[in-house]
Amino acid sequence: MSREPRRKSQPMQLAFPDGPAAFDCAAADCVIDALAAKPDSVVALPTGRTPVGVYSILPRRAASRSVLLCGARWFNLDDYVGLGVDHPMSYARFIREHLLDRIGASDRQVRLLRADAPDCAAECRAYDAAITAAGGIDLAILGLGANGHIAFNEPGCAWDRDTHVTELTEQTRIANAAAVSDPSCLQRSNLAPRLGITMGIGTLRRARRILLLVKGLGKRAALNALLQAVPDAQWPVTSLLGHPDLTVIADSRLRSPA
Ligand code: GLP
């Protein structure tokens, strides 16, 4: 498997596009640039409200730039332990509905976490093996939790881990339940799974490129922690500091102090 040469370290690139449409276009263009440079890129995909607009414009925008999405390989970042792919809260389902089905991605191109695997530890090992076999992650697209989590790596987690099962904070479970559009899930939000299965920060930091998407006023403290540029275990997003190819696209409302 051919790999792009590792690029020389450069400072974090930070942009505050003016408004939601510009945010989505800027993020989609980063993804398209990566796929133009390496059509068989291995891409890690986030769930949540943040990437919805990006996913919705990506197919048409890629086509308008004559960039094909059919050679890419897709992984998801995380999911709730125990949920099958048809569950309305399943991240695998979200990724399929919002992106993969829309671009007609084939089974050969897609490996999503099996959050309902009977042996989650074995699933974590198999997932890491699949990432390694694909040549490692070329582009990790990340959202950001209000408490600074990336994927399901919560405050205080270790920064050297690969895919693993983790306990979710109450803050994350509440925030994410509110993002689910299915009303039956909202009513049962106190029953949201307590465990997540997630790529670890070790995996994410080995990605050759990272695109961090920061949307929503509630992300101000987490973004500030990153911009203060001091690694802090209580803010997992600061584990990305020093990554050789980190781009941050942030909500323009977060440009100025509150
Ligand atoms: C969840 C996901 C994260 C995501 C975060 C932000 O916790 N595990 O990967 O980045 O939510 O979600 P939103 O984009 O809805 O703010």
Side-chain angles (χ1 to χ4, degrees):
M1 180 98 22
S2 67
R3 285 194 189 189
E4 273 187 292
R6 195 162 183 97
R7 301 193 323 173
K8 221 176 133 196
S9 178
Q10 55 189 340
M12 164 170 71
Q13 299 197 41
L14 173 64
F16 292 94
D18 212 359
F23 179 103
D24 293 341
C25 289
D29 283 344
C30 282
V31 180
I32 294 165
D33 288 346
L35 292 171
K38 187 175 183 229
D40 64 347
S41 285
V42 175
V43 184
L45 296 168
T47 305
R49 286 153 287 204
T50 302
V52 168
V54 184
Y55 293 156
S56 77
I57 65 168
L58 186 63
R60 195 179 296 176
R61 205 163 169 91
S64 74
R65 289 182 49 191
S66 304
V67 172
L68 297 174
L69 303 178
C70 59
R73 280 85 45 82
W74 310 100
F75 289 74
N76 60 346
L77 292 173
D78 50 11
D79 210 329
Y80 288 111
V81 167
L83 300 192
V85 290
D86 293 326
H87 192 284
M89 284 184 88
S90 151
Y91 284 6
R93 175 170 166 169
F94 175 100
I95 294 283
R96 286 216 172 268
E97 286 182 355
H98 285 273
L99 184 65
L100 301 177
D101 290 350
R102 296 182 49 238
I103 63 173
S106 67
D107 290 347
R108 190 179 44 82
Q109 291 175 262
V110 176
R111 172 67 163 95
L112 303 179
L113 280 158
R114 296 172 187 129
D116 60 347
D119 180 346
C120 276
E123 170 60 5
C124 292
R125 289 193 297 275
Y127 203 63
D128 290 332
I131 293 169
T132 301
I137 297 169
D138 293 297
L139 173 66
I141 310 171
L142 304 177
L144 180 61
N147 65 359
H149 74 245
I150 46 176
F152 268 148
N153 294 280
E154 295 275 36
C157 70
W159 287 4
D160 59 355
R161 298 194 71 183
D162 292 332
T163 305
H164 62 283
V165 170
T166 185
E167 199 161 326
L168 303 176
T169 63
E170 202 60 21
Q171 185 183 2
T172 295
R173 294 172 65 223
I174 292 167
N176 291 357
V180 177
S181 51
D182 185 314
S184 63
C185 284
L186 281 181
Q187 284 154 17
R188 291 184 285 122
S189 64
N190 57 339
L191 299 179
R194 292 183 182 279
L195 296 179
I197 183 168
T198 184
M199 283 188 194
I201 286 178
T203 317
L204 297 175
R205 290 206 294 191
R206 283 195 301 278
R208 289 182 269 280
R209 290 182 183 172
I210 296 179
L211 171 62
L212 175 68
L213 305 178
V214 184
K215 191 185 259 186
L217 294 175
K219 313 291 174 70
R220 189 182 294 279
L223 179 63
N224 284 346
L226 178 69
L227 299 184
Q228 276 163 20
V230 179
D232 179 344
Q234 289 312 311
W235 295 101
V237 68
T238 63
S239 66
L240 304 180
L241 289 165
H243 187 278
D245 195 340
L246 170 62
T247 299
V248 181
I249 297 181
D251 195 317
S252 56
R253 295 171 297 171
L254 301 176
R255 193 195 321 245
S256 48

